[in-house]
Amino acid sequence: QVQLVESGGGLVQAGGSLRLSCKASGSIFSINAMGWYRQVPGKQRELVASITYSLVTNYADSVKGRFTISRDNGKMTVYLQMNNLKPEDTGVYYCNADQYAWAQGPSYWGQGTQVTVSI
């Protein structure tokens, strides 16, 4: 089992910045990619950014140039630095951890942290 604990959400004005953190614990040896997803009411959860153990990153087009995902493998923590936030970035942000294919295990999710960007 893997536990994910998120922190760093909150309320910010448009143009501001927030930094999200997600620490993984438990059976972390099998974790490869970690990432952040966003969900708003009535819509599916969507990928914001992800990063593999080897630090290969992937971003949604809507956040490229504004958000930066990073990772400290020693601390098994992933960060999402969000700059120049826009109202459309509002949502619940969920941390995700995927296992290597050989582990044949489930994907894990954090409890979610609310990000609200006001005009």
Side-chain angles (χ1 to χ4, degrees):
Q1 281 284 46
V2 172
Q3 294 78 43
L4 301 174
V5 178
E6 302 143 337
S7 61
L11 173 64
V12 65
Q13 287 188 328
S17 298
L18 283 174
R19 188 191 195 209
L20 306 183
S21 300
C22 172
K23 182 174 178 59
S25 62
S27 301
I28 60 176
F29 62 90
S30 61
I31 293 176
N32 180 15
M34 296 183 71
W36 292 93
Y37 286 70
R38 175 173 63 214
Q39 189 165 26
V40 297
K43 292 190 176 181
Q44 286 190 332
R45 198 171 292 186
E46 60 178 7
L47 175 70
V48 176
S50 65
I51 184 167
T52 66
Y53 190 87
S54 56
L55 307 183
V56 176
T57 59
N58 182 41
Y59 294 93
D61 287 343
S62 61
V63 306
K64 285 179 181 177
R66 300 188 298 121
F67 291 11
T68 302
I69 191 168
S70 60
R71 177 171 177 163
D72 184 332
N73 285 329
K75 295 180 179 179
M76 213 57 190
T77 300
V78 63
Y79 306 94
L80 186 67
Q81 178 66 44
M82 305 185 291
N83 297 328
N84 190 22
L85 282 158
K86 303 177 180 181
E88 52 263 42
D89 296 319
T90 295
V92 179
Y93 284 68
Y94 293 91
C95 180
N96 170 265
D98 279 335
Q99 301 188 61
Y100 287 99
W102 53 259
Q104 297 183 332
S107 183
Y108 295 97
W109 295 93
Q111 78 281 4
T113 185
Q114 177 71 43
V115 171
T116 303
V117 184
S118 64
I119 297 173

